[in-house]
Amino acid sequence: NSVLIPYTSIYGNTQNCAEIVASKLADRGVKNIKMYDVSTLHDSYILSECFKYSHIVFATTTYNNNIFVNMENFIHDLVNHNLQNRTFGIIENGSWAPNCGSTLRSELEKLKNCKILDNKITIKSSLKHSQENEINALVEEIVKSLEI
């Protein structure tokens, strides 16, 4: 029972949200949490980590009305390696139309025996104080599925 958070962040706002989620998970007793910036670390390292973690929370930005290219390439690689039996969470960001989460979900649905959590976090440029309930809902859903 562990949580991996691969993320991409153009201006630091998506990373900030991912860090808040990781912190809240730690506060709730999750002991094994790891974060990786998909833009700076080669896919092969993060891909191998995905096979070690039960839960993966993808945090990424919308770019050209799609998933940010580094995360998009990573997701395609993950799907091609046929990862199975995992639980996924999604954090999406975008200034005008944050819609990368739906594309990400479509890709993850190709994987066998995987569950995508209902509580998705949607950020418009930067996280707002009013979104604390969204963060708490995702964290709570992760903790419940971990059976801590």
Side-chain angles (χ1 to χ4, degrees):
N1 287 341
S2 52
V3 180
L4 178 67
I5 306 175
Y7 68 90
T8 58
S9 189
I10 298 171
Y11 300 111
N13 295 311
T14 308
Q15 178 182 356
N16 178 54
C17 183
E19 289 172 347
I20 291 169
V21 168
S23 176
K24 286 181 176 273
L25 287 168
D27 288 346
R28 293 292 308 276
V30 179
K31 295 187 183 344
N32 192 5
I33 305 164
K34 198 172 272 188
M35 294 179 61
Y36 287 107
D37 184 346
V38 176
S39 298
T40 61
L41 186 63
H42 192 272
D43 288 0
S44 61
Y45 294 103
I46 306 168
L47 181 65
S48 68
E49 291 291 296
C50 287
F51 285 89
K52 300 175 189 174
Y53 286 76
S54 62
H55 290 62
I56 304 170
V57 178
F58 295 98
T60 192
T61 52
T62 302
Y63 186 77
N64 283 338
N65 207 29
N66 206 338
I67 302 170
F68 188 69
V69 66
N70 298 68
M71 183 66 80
E72 182 180 33
N73 291 337
F74 174 69
I75 295 299
H76 287 300
D77 202 17
L78 187 73
V79 170
N80 286 335
H81 279 83
N82 197 27
L83 183 70
Q84 297 179 22
N85 306 311
R86 298 293 183 279
T87 300
F88 300 119
I90 296 174
I91 300 169
E92 66 176 349
N93 192 353
S95 296
W96 298 282
N99 65 350
C100 60
S102 59
T103 307
L104 181 56
R105 175 181 275 280
S106 295
E107 288 300 310
L108 295 174
E109 286 173 343
K110 296 175 182 177
L111 300 172
K112 295 178 183 175
N113 301 319
C114 290
K115 177 182 180 183
I116 302 171
L117 300 174
D118 294 328
N119 291 299
K120 174 179 71 173
I121 298 172
T122 299
I123 306 166
K124 287 194 174 182
S125 292
S126 63
L127 196 59
K128 313 298 185 272
H129 289 290
S130 60
Q131 292 186 274
E132 188 170 356
N133 288 339
E134 282 181 65
I135 293 171
N136 291 337
L138 177 60
V139 167
E140 182 63 28
E141 192 173 16
I142 293 168
V143 168
K144 280 185 179 177
S145 67
L146 284 167
E147 299 174 357
I148 293 177

